[in-house]
């Protein structure tokens, strides 16, 4: 694996502004969102709105990813995604969510998830995950992907490739009538072929008018994930695989989650709607 030094927090830039005419999620300016009490099965109107939100989130992530290269700061990636969402009438869902200070998550190397964009400079050989969620039309669309920075070692490249494949396999396993735990079973069995760890405490989730509805989508075979999949359900799948342990530490910022052994980790995510025969990806650019 790459011999890169471990990450340390950088400096935060000032909070980015959002035009006043863009609708905010209800949690902005509050310590926590109002708990969701609606259904997990959504109306056709809500699903269509989520297609719009998902498309904007996917394109915002793609625009930021164009800049990924050695020497670029994660704050610059945040600036680009923020501008894209605002220019398209969407609010960056992470901005102000439980106090999160930025418009995307940027998680480098040993960071499992929720890395805060700052003055940290991407280095040749890094891997970086961008997690972008857009809010528009009263709903959210959430996606993420892990990217290679310059020349990346083979072990890291394979981790990224196989994490993407684990998501693809999990999406194909979604069928009405199956239990949610089929998703984690597929991911975990695939990851075990390569000796990867599967992060357990950070999961996929229900999503709709709520950023996190309360529905939990484990990425391991959980005996408790017995909810039956139904057409019209909307949720994310976002496996996090590691080169070592699935255990983690959290930085003092209360957000940045790193592998306990500081080995590398990768993640991919889509927002889905369950159809009569499988699942449709809502976060396509």
């Amino acid at each position: 694996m790459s011999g890169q030094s471990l990450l340390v927090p950088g400096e935060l830039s000032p909070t980015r502004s959002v035009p006043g005419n863009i609708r905010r999620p209800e949690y902005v300016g509050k310590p926590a969102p109002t708990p969701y009490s609606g259904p997990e099965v959504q109306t056709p109107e809500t699903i269509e709105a989520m297609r719009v939100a998902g498309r904007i989130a996917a394109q915002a992530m793609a625009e930021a990813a164009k800049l990924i290269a050695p020497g670029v700061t994660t704050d610059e990636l945040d600036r680009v995604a923020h501008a894209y969402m605002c220019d398209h009438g969407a609010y960056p869902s992470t901005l102000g969510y439980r106090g999160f200070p930025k418009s995307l998550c940027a998680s480098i190397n040993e960071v499992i998830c929720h890395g805060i964009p700052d003055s940290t400079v991407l280095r040749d050989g890094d891997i970086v995950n961008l997690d972008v969620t857009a809010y528009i039309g009263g709903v959210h669309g959430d996606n993420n992907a892990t990217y290679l920075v310059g020349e990346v070692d083979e072990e890291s490249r394979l981790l990224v490739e196989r994490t993407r494949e684990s998501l693809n396999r999990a999406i194909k396993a979604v069928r009405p009538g199956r239990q949610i735990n089929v998703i984690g079973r597929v991911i975990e069995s695939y990851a075990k072929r390569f000796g990867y760890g599967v992060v357990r405490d950070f999961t996929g989730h229900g999503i709709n008018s709520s950023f996190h509805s309360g529905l939990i989508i484990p990425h391991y075979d959980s005996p408790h994930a017995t909810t039956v999949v139904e057409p019209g359900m909307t949720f994310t799948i976002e496996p996090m695989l590691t080169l070592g342990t699935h255990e983690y530490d959290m930085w003092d910022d209360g957000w940045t989650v790193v592998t306990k052994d500081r080995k590398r980790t990768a993640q991919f995510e889509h927002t889905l709607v369950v159809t009569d025969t499988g699942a449709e990806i809502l976060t396509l650019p």
Side-chain angles (χ1 to χ4, degrees):
M1 190 184 74
S2 169
Q4 299 281 50
S5 59
L6 297 180
L7 293 168
V8 296
E11 296 294 323
L12 285 180
S13 64
T15 302
R16 303 190 198 282
S17 63
V18 177
N21 65 318
I22 293 178
R23 179 179 173 183
R24 272 75 168 150
E26 58 83 23
Y27 52 74
V28 174
K30 297 164 54 177
T34 302
Y36 179 72
S37 57
E40 297 297 344
V41 173
Q42 304 304 309
T43 65
E45 292 76 18
T46 296
I47 292 166
E48 184 54 39
M50 290 182 66
R51 280 195 186 93
V52 174
R55 194 157 50 240
I56 292 172
Q59 193 60 44
M61 184 173 73
E63 289 299 310
K66 289 178 182 177
L67 274 71
I68 290 175
V72 175
T73 66
T74 54
D75 186 68
E76 179 66 5
L77 304 179
D78 182 81
R79 183 192 66 77
V80 171
H82 177 95
Y84 186 93
M85 286 185 273
C86 292
D87 288 348
H88 289 79
Y91 185 91
S93 300
T94 60
L95 184 61
Y97 179 78
R98 297 184 182 270
F100 192 84
K102 292 296 175 181
S103 298
L104 59 71
C105 299
S107 303
I108 302 171
N109 296 345
E110 70 267 22
V111 180
I112 295 171
C113 58
H114 305 159
I116 300 174
D118 58 18
S119 62
T120 299
V121 174
L122 297 176
R123 302 163 297 183
D124 187 62
D126 283 342
I127 60 174
V128 59
N129 178 275
L130 302 185
D131 193 335
V132 180
T133 309
Y135 178 79
I136 188 172
V139 298
H140 301 268
D142 185 3
N143 69 160
N144 77 54
T146 302
Y147 300 90
L148 310 181
V149 184
E151 294 296 320
V152 175
D153 66 274
E154 182 71 357
E155 185 179 41
S156 299
R157 188 191 65 77
L158 286 173
L159 173 69
V160 171
E161 178 183 302
R162 290 164 177 167
T163 304
R164 182 192 293 110
E165 175 63 15
S166 77
L167 172 60
N168 293 338
R169 289 174 180 237
I171 292 170
K172 290 175 183 176
V174 175
R175 293 283 187 283
R178 291 181 174 177
Q179 293 183 342
I180 289 290
N181 61 9
V182 70
I183 294 168
R185 188 178 309 134
V186 166
I187 293 167
E188 187 173 41
S189 63
Y190 179 71
K192 280 184 173 178
R193 288 168 51 182
F194 311 104
Y196 295 154
V198 180
V199 173
R200 302 168 76 91
D201 290 349
F202 300 90
T203 68
H205 52 88
I207 184 170
N208 37 67
S209 60
S210 173
F211 196 170
H212 300 86
S213 73
L215 176 66
I216 294 173
I217 313 295
H219 301 122
Y220 63 98
D221 187 4
S222 168
H224 307 294
T226 56
T227 299
V228 175
V229 175
E230 300 177 59
M233 290 177 74
T234 50
F235 53 81
T236 72
I237 305 176
E238 45 189 296
M240 292 153 258
L241 305 187
T242 71
L243 289 175
T245 183
H246 67 269
E247 296 180 346
Y248 66 92
D249 294 320
M250 187 174 289
W251 282 4
D252 291 342
D253 60 24
W255 284 105
T256 306
V257 180
V258 296
T259 54
K260 187 170 281 292
D261 57 13
R262 304 302 189 266
K263 291 186 177 180
R264 289 188 170 190
T265 175
Q267 180 184 16
F268 284 84
E269 173 187 25
H270 276 305
T271 295
L272 312 170
V273 59
V274 181
T275 68
D276 290 335
T277 57
E280 176 193 347
I281 298 173
L282 297 178
T283 38
L284 292 175

